[in-house]
Amino acid sequence: MRLSRYFMPILKENPKEAEIVSHRLMLRAGMIRQQSQGIYSWLPLGKRVLDKVNAIIREEQNRAGAVEVLMPTLQSAELWQESGRYDAYGKEMLRIKDRQERPMLYGPTNEEMITDIFRSYVKSYKNLPLNLYHIQLKFRDEIRPRFGTMRSREFLMKDAYSFDLTKDAAEHSYRKMFTAYLRTFSRLGLRAIPMRADTGPIGGNLSHEFIILADTGESEVFSHKDFVNFDIPSTDTNFDDVAAMQAVFDKWTSVYAATSEMHDEDAFNAIPETDRLSARGIEVGHIFYFGTKYSEPMGAKVQGPDGKEHAVHMGSYGIGPTRLVPAIIEASHDDNGIIWPASVAPFDVVVINMKPGDEACDRICETLYGGLATVGKDVLYDDTDERAGTKFATADLIGVPVQVIVGPRSAASGEVEVKDRKTGERETLTVEAAMNRLAGL
């Protein structure tokens, strides 16, 4: 992508409305624009990051055996009345009526709708287990939306829903998602700690929040420091292996970790003082097992091997992609801007032409731009006429992992300078060596 033809509205000054670093940097880098309170447009640079986050989430959901669907944002109030949650949910639910005066709502979550889909088609235990997920916009009318897309009213959510014949089978599905979440956050460059949590309006009796530590987090967390030493489940993890899933779950829940709502002061004080961690964190995922809370009132039953009808056991599993993007920034930035993990960076490489119009600079930049694109790299080519300082500041601000700087003096010698955004280290290489190095990233 040539920067001269790209839409990336950079702000030079810090926006006054931005309270935390991620909100400030997302606005300055031209990733988002606020349209109304708690509602944002995602501009091209932000959309590229969001798409990469979603791709990793999809890969790990699919790896764990979940199947993707897409449900509508508007839902009938009748389904929520069936479950008993329509009146109980509170003012966060946006209630509307269509032209026939039928009560509708903008979905804050999808337990009722997915249960309706399930009961319409699945009648036998032979079709279980089943886990259906989608990535879709939600709306919750937060009383105080803030921190940009960290706590907005409209947001993107990956929500998955599992269906099983028995409690034991349902808890295995829960542990599969638990493991998938550990892998997902690790691939996003985050170290997420699973913490016992309150089930809230979703309901149920088993729940974990996945928290990343950050000073700007709204969650107060208490845990053992051991989590930093635990290995993340590998790519070849067998999600159908009940013992393997139990082992992962047992290891990650064997030491104390809880949000303030579930904090056990005595258990925390029993941890040696040097091993205690009391901090603030950002919730990036939440999983629930709630048994037959929805299947019983909504008649989601299957015929079991005994010939009798059984209400299925369910769980739900949420990740907020539009929250994850600022969470990654909170965890990875410096005074100059964002430092993206390679897995979600909007571009792999930015090629900076220090003197457009110079024959050698133009030729080398075009060679790098075309060659790297040919081997599958996402390349941003800064071919603008901006000053050198502006080009460097922009490259640092948007956080592309590798910068290739092409100036007249080095170009005349057939060389370029390669800068690592995270470490700041610079290296002078021939064009061929730089191409080979970058192609292998």
Side-chain angles (χ1 to χ4, degrees):
M1 178 64 63
R2 297 176 187 272
L3 186 54
S4 61
R5 302 177 187 174
Y6 198 49
F7 180 60
M8 194 171 73
I10 298 292
L11 301 180
K12 293 183 180 180
E13 303 296 328
N14 287 327
K16 294 180 180 179
E17 70 270 25
E19 300 177 64
I20 61 174
V21 66
S22 59
H23 190 193
R24 181 171 70 248
L25 291 175
M26 290 177 76
L27 288 171
R28 284 199 56 212
M31 295 178 63
I32 57 173
R33 175 176 172 77
Q34 181 171 321
Q35 302 300 150
S36 61
Q37 188 181 35
I39 298 176
Y40 291 83
S41 290
W42 285 76
L43 306 182
L45 192 75
K47 179 65 162 50
R48 289 182 74 94
V49 177
L50 188 60
D51 285 347
K52 291 190 176 186
V53 168
N54 286 336
I56 289 174
I57 292 172
R58 279 192 171 94
E59 287 171 11
E60 294 303 328
Q61 289 293 289
N62 296 342
R63 189 192 308 277
V67 180
E68 188 171 9
V69 298
L70 181 60
M71 292 175 275
T73 55
L74 291 179
Q75 303 183 29
S76 167
E78 291 180 1
L79 292 175
W80 286 68
Q81 289 163 349
E82 274 192 73
S83 72
R85 281 207 301 175
Y86 185 69
D87 295 320
Y89 199 88
K91 291 185 177 181
E92 287 76 23
M93 181 189 290
L94 182 62
R95 295 167 169 85
I96 58 178
K97 290 185 178 181
D98 65 14
R99 65 173 61 198
Q100 278 81 37
E101 293 297 308
R102 291 173 297 203
M104 307 284 289
L105 58 100
Y106 197 124
T109 184
N110 278 73
E111 282 81 6
E112 283 80 3
M113 185 169 286
I114 199 69
T115 304
D116 178 57
I117 291 172
F118 177 88
R119 70 183 177 183
S120 299
Y121 299 105
V122 182
K123 306 299 182 183
S124 170
Y125 76 97
K126 295 179 181 180
N127 299 118
L128 302 179
L130 181 64
N131 191 325
L132 301 174
Y133 80 96
H134 71 159
I135 299 176
Q136 175 228 43
L137 286 170
K138 302 284 194 294
F139 187 92
R140 294 177 188 170
D141 201 1
E142 294 278 357
I143 191 170
R144 192 188 171 198
R146 55 181 180 159
F147 302 156
T149 65
M150 185 77 77
R151 191 174 183 86
S152 54
R153 293 196 296 165
E154 186 180 61
F155 54 93
L156 202 61
M157 180 186 284
K158 185 287 301 180
D159 39 329
Y161 304 91
S162 61
F163 301 87
D164 289 275
L165 181 64
T166 66
K167 179 182 178 183
D168 286 347
E171 289 183 347
H172 174 56
S173 292
Y174 183 93
R175 292 189 287 269
K176 287 167 67 174
M177 285 291 102
F178 184 97
T179 303
Y181 275 37
L182 293 174
R183 283 190 46 77
T184 299
F185 298 129
S186 177
R187 289 186 59 192
L188 295 171
L190 299 171
R191 189 69 171 188
I193 302 174
M195 301 193 172
R196 292 185 297 114
D198 183 30
T199 56
I202 299 294
N205 52 16
L206 178 61
S207 175
H208 284 86
E209 288 182 10
F210 290 79
I211 304 285
I212 64 165
L213 301 181
D215 292 338
T216 52
E218 293 187 284
S219 297
E220 189 176 4
V221 298
F222 305 87
S223 73
H224 196 289
K225 290 183 177 179
D226 272 358
F227 286 102
V228 296
N229 300 316
F230 288 168
D231 293 331
I232 300 296
S234 64
T235 304
D236 60 358
T237 295
N238 183 356
F239 285 89
D240 292 325
D241 186 330
V242 175
M245 293 298 96
Q246 184 72 59
V248 170
F249 183 77
D250 288 346
K251 180 173 74 172
W252 283 83
T253 57
S254 62
V255 294
Y256 184 83
T259 56
S260 55
E261 294 87 350
M262 302 292 285
H263 181 43
D264 183 334
E265 193 72 35
D266 292 337
F268 187 65
N269 289 336
I271 301 171
E273 190 170 354
T274 55
D275 292 332
R276 294 178 204 160
L277 177 63
S278 176
R280 303 203 68 81
I282 299 169
E283 178 195 336
V284 289
H286 204 159
I287 61 176
F288 307 84
Y289 160 68
F290 41 71
T292 59
K293 174 180 172 64
Y294 299 95
S295 57
E296 283 278 9
M298 296 186 69
K301 299 180 180 181
V302 297
Q303 186 179 56
D306 57 2
K308 298 179 181 179
E309 283 196 331
H310 299 262
V312 292
H313 289 250
M314 294 175 58
S316 69
Y317 316 92
I319 290 178
T322 46
R323 170 175 279 210
L324 271 170
V325 174
I328 293 169
I329 295 172
E330 291 291 329
S332 186
H333 68 274
D334 61 16
D335 291 341
N336 295 322
I338 304 165
I339 303 174
W340 291 114
S343 60
V344 296
F347 297 95
D348 301 315
V349 180
V350 55
V351 175
I352 303 173
N353 189 338
M354 299 302 296
K355 192 175 182 180
D358 179 88
E359 189 276 331
C361 286
D362 289 349
R363 174 173 45 80
I364 290 174
C365 286
E366 291 291 348
T367 298
L368 290 167
Y369 179 51
L372 291 172
T374 299
V375 297
K377 300 299 177 184
D378 288 331
V379 186
L380 179 65
Y381 174 21
D382 187 345
D383 59 342
T384 65
D385 291 323
E386 295 285 354
R387 294 179 301 172
T390 300
K391 287 173 179 274
F392 292 146
T394 296
D396 283 347
L397 173 64
I398 65 176
V400 176
V402 180
Q403 301 171 14
V404 182
I405 302 160
V406 184
R409 186 176 302 175
S410 59
S413 304
E415 295 177 329
V416 299
E417 188 175 46
V418 178
K419 175 186 172 183
D420 184 294
R421 172 65 182 91
K422 184 175 183 179
T423 66
E425 295 177 355
R426 296 169 179 257
E427 184 177 7
T428 299
L429 299 171
T430 65
V431 175
E432 182 180 6
M435 180 75 77
N436 292 335
R437 172 82 61 82
L438 299 172
L441 289 177

